[in-house]
Amino acid sequence: MKVLMGPDPSQIYRPDGGKNKEDFRNYTSGPLLDRVYTTYKLMHTHQTVDFVRRKHKEFGGFTYKKMTVMEAVELLDGLVDESDPDVDFPNSFHAFQTAEGIRKAHPDKDWFHLVGLLHDLGKILVMAGEPQDNPDTKDPRYCTDYGMYEPNCGLENVLMSWGHDEYMYRMMKFNKFSLPPEAFYMIRFHSFYPWHTGSDYRHLCSPHDLSMLPWVQEFNKFDLYTKSEDLPDVSMLRPYYQGLIDKYCPGVLCW
């Protein structure tokens, strides 16, 4: 597939009186800064190689819960993302805002609309007692450009930090979601800002990774710039997205 870049949603879908593009992802000032700082400090403190491998074993069997995708969305009604400096409302609204932004810009790609709804569902980990998420910085095995990897090994062979996106990617694979490869890349790597925004880790990328990068970047625009205190009417949107769930990931799933 070729990525046909949509219009910048920071301009098209921002409500009147909303934020400017440069005001999003502000980590230097704002009322939520202390909460965000604490969350990221905990993430970077605990994300060692051993920690990630333990989490793969702990959650890799997907025995935590059985529920439908829409039931998972509804769980996010009770979750505010502590790592996000832009929002202080339940994460379920952000899921629908992202999905609707994608739907307007890419009306012919219904699977892409569904990715917008799915992308943060891994945050149900918080309900399992996981923090909204390092000693490895002193381990010589990891403190080179390549660390424990070979050049151009491909991101599928890289041990990603543990969090909602890695969990959701693995959950989708386990439950055999019938979505295209682009969708799995968007879910897995949408929080990997050093790669998709900072141009880091290119030395580990395979040609396939680089071909997927424009899709992740396209998704990222909607993830960031559709956030607004003007909350959608979820009851009006739910039937459309239930239809997509029934098409691509139906029934009761293992989480």
Side-chain angles (χ1 to χ4, degrees):
M1 293 184 179
K2 180 181 178 182
V3 182
L4 300 176
M5 297 300 183
D8 184 345
S10 71
Q11 299 296 328
I12 303 299
Y13 305 121
R14 186 174 65 243
D16 291 340
K19 290 184 179 181
N20 291 319
K21 183 176 180 179
E22 59 271 16
D23 292 332
F24 287 91
R25 308 297 290 182
N26 180 353
Y27 292 103
T28 59
S29 63
L32 306 180
L33 190 61
D34 287 345
R35 182 190 76 187
V36 172
Y37 173 81
T38 300
T39 301
Y40 275 104
K41 184 172 187 256
L42 288 172
M43 286 181 186
H44 289 285
T45 299
H46 295 293
Q47 289 283 352
T48 65
V49 170
D50 287 342
F51 171 85
V52 171
R53 287 174 173 157
R54 287 198 309 271
K55 292 302 177 183
H56 287 182
K57 290 181 180 178
E58 181 179 353
F59 289 97
F62 298 96
T63 58
Y64 162 60
K65 205 173 188 69
K66 289 191 175 182
M67 58 184 166
T68 66
V69 166
M70 196 59 79
E71 287 171 336
V73 173
E74 290 166 358
L75 278 183
L76 295 187
D77 288 348
L79 176 70
V80 175
D81 184 356
E82 294 178 351
S83 71
D84 195 328
D86 296 321
V87 299
D88 199 26
F89 50 78
N91 208 241
S92 54
F93 288 110
H94 168 57
F96 282 103
Q97 287 174 336
T98 305
E100 282 295 282
I102 294 168
R103 184 181 175 188
K104 290 173 184 174
H106 297 277
D108 59 328
K109 295 180 176 64
D110 65 352
W111 63 267
F112 197 0
H113 312 164
L114 182 59
V115 170
L117 188 72
L118 296 174
H119 78 282
D120 275 350
L121 289 190
K123 290 176 181 176
I124 65 161
L125 285 174
V126 177
M127 316 299 181
E130 288 292 283
Q132 293 200 42
D133 279 271
N134 159 347
D136 282 353
T137 59
K138 298 179 182 178
D139 190 324
R141 292 175 296 173
Y142 310 133
C143 295
T144 66
D145 285 346
Y146 291 99
M148 60 185 185
Y149 305 111
E150 296 296 324
N152 306 116
C153 62
L155 294 182
E156 72 274 12
N157 296 309
V158 170
L159 195 66
M160 299 300 297
S161 61
W162 179 253
H164 72 281
D165 31 17
E166 182 69 10
Y167 167 79
M168 190 62 193
Y169 161 76
R170 290 172 176 267
M171 179 270 179
M172 290 164 58
K173 298 281 281 186
F174 184 87
N175 286 280
K176 297 181 170 59
F177 283 31
S178 59
L179 290 165
E182 292 83 354
F184 289 87
Y185 261 77
M186 292 173 187
I187 296 291
R188 190 180 193 193
F189 298 119
H190 72 270
S191 298
F192 193 14
Y193 284 88
W195 177 59
H196 63 64
T197 300
S199 299
D200 294 332
Y201 299 101
R202 296 292 198 270
H203 55 293
L204 298 179
C205 290
S206 67
H208 182 61
D209 295 327
L210 297 178
S211 73
M212 293 288 108
L213 177 58
W215 283 100
V216 179
Q217 292 170 328
E218 178 69 358
F219 169 80
N220 183 248
K221 296 188 304 186
F222 301 96
D223 186 18
L224 290 184
Y225 304 129
T226 57
K227 296 171 186 173
S228 166
E229 296 289 342
D230 184 13
L231 302 180
D233 184 345
V234 171
S235 65
M236 296 292 292
L237 300 175
R238 189 178 286 114
Y240 173 74
Y241 288 97
Q242 185 61 58
L244 299 186
I245 292 167
D246 293 342
K247 179 178 179 180
Y248 292 107
C249 45
V252 176
L253 307 174
C254 298
W255 298 76

